Amino acid sequence: MSPANTTNAFGTSRVAAEPQQYGFGTLAIHAGAEPDPATGAVIPPLSLSTTFKQRAVGDFVYEYSRSDNPNRSNLEAAIAALEHAKHGFAFSSGSATTATVLNTLAPGSHVISVNDVYGGTHRYLNKVAHSMGVETTFVDLADVNNIRDAMRDNTRLVWIETPTNPTLRLVDIAAVSEIAHEAGLYVIVDNTFLSPYFQTPLDLGADVVVHSATKYLNGHSDVVMGVAATNSDALASKLRFLQNAIGAVPSP
């Protein structure tokens, strides 16, 4: 994995530089948490401002907190590091993450999803994405070769969750990724129930990993949030645009 080159003026970056050289505990504590350059504070200060001063028109580090915010940058760098990714993204909920990722698809696209997918994801695919012209086929992935039978000319991605919520069924990420990539399809993995402590789907071939951070990543039942991570620059560009355009971002 190549080192990042997107550190901003505040010393923070969404892109993890060689995260695999550090242990999980080190990354969880230090990734994205650079000392404040103005004060030397080792804990990043909470930035509550919605608007930031520009040095000149169009010359800024941060402009508006929907588009970006120092605290979100810190969190996104940490998520990227923990998931062994180049790019991290934070959203207002796991469902907002799902919606944003699926909004990368054009009308007329087809999705293959594990049939035991989280209820909120099933609802979005069936009720919302479907109304926007995206069709989904739900497949039993106990046998990953069932993906081949479900493929169409307009299939664009495979959505899997492992272990599934709440029945804890498992899907072979590496095998699914191999089959999907042969056909030029993206693989999205919901890693909510294992967390990056136990599983890093990008290392197994997935293109995007998503979480409802409300659950194990947060761990205290006091935050509603979602996150995503990817090593694809092309997908990252789309997700960054949609993150700002849709605006389903967490509060600082």
Side-chain angles (χ1 to χ4, degrees):
M1 186 181 300
S2 60
N5 189 29
T6 61
T7 302
N8 61 37
F10 292 89
T12 59
S13 170
R14 295 186 195 85
V15 182
E18 302 292 352
Q20 295 181 57
Q21 67 179 308
Y22 301 108
F24 187 90
T26 300
L27 292 173
I29 294 170
H30 293 293
E34 300 294 333
D36 185 281
T39 66
V42 297
I43 300 300
L46 185 61
S47 177
L48 297 177
S49 183
T50 61
T51 308
F52 300 86
K53 181 180 178 180
Q54 300 186 25
R55 291 181 287 259
V57 176
D59 181 10
F60 55 85
V61 177
Y62 296 100
E63 176 189 24
Y64 185 61
S65 273
R66 171 173 47 78
S67 304
D68 209 350
N69 173 280
N71 299 125
R72 197 168 86 226
S73 294
N74 295 340
L75 173 61
E76 291 176 340
I79 293 301
L82 292 173
E83 282 289 3
H84 301 171
K86 290 174 64 179
H87 308 276
F89 305 86
F91 299 91
S92 54
S93 69
S95 293
T97 308
T98 297
T100 303
V101 170
L102 289 171
N103 264 277
T104 62
L105 299 176
S109 297
H110 174 246
V111 173
I112 298 171
S113 171
V114 60
N115 62 346
D116 195 25
V117 73
Y118 170 61
T121 304
H122 189 280
R123 178 175 59 243
Y124 188 88
L125 288 167
N126 258 347
K127 302 295 185 181
V128 183
H130 182 76
S131 69
M132 296 188 293
V134 175
E135 292 186 84
T136 304
T137 300
F138 296 94
V139 175
D140 182 354
L141 291 181
D143 180 356
V144 296
N145 288 302
N146 289 335
I147 292 173
R148 301 183 195 278
D149 296 332
M151 285 182 186
R152 305 177 187 174
D153 291 341
N154 61 335
T155 304
R156 296 293 177 262
L157 66 80
V158 179
W159 187 287
I160 63 178
E161 186 178 309
T162 180
T164 57
N165 178 6
T167 60
L168 303 181
R169 292 171 61 190
L170 302 179
V171 178
D172 187 332
I173 297 172
V176 168
S177 298
E178 182 177 357
I179 293 170
H181 291 160
E182 286 175 358
L185 311 181
Y186 288 122
V187 175
I188 317 298
V189 177
D190 187 334
N191 198 30
T192 295
F193 261 34
L194 271 192
S195 85
Y197 185 82
F198 292 107
Q199 175 174 270
T200 47
L202 300 181
D203 293 339
L204 298 172
D207 298 290
V208 179
V209 57
V210 300
H211 291 262
S212 170
T214 311
K215 302 177 178 70
Y216 291 116
L217 275 182
N218 174 53
H220 299 285
S221 298
D222 56 5
V223 171
V224 175
M225 192 179 295
V227 298
T230 184
N231 282 317
S232 166
D233 294 339
L235 284 173
S237 179
K238 290 181 180 180
L239 289 173
R240 190 67 64 196
F241 174 82
L242 290 169
Q243 182 188 46
N244 181 51
I246 296 172
V249 296
S251 169

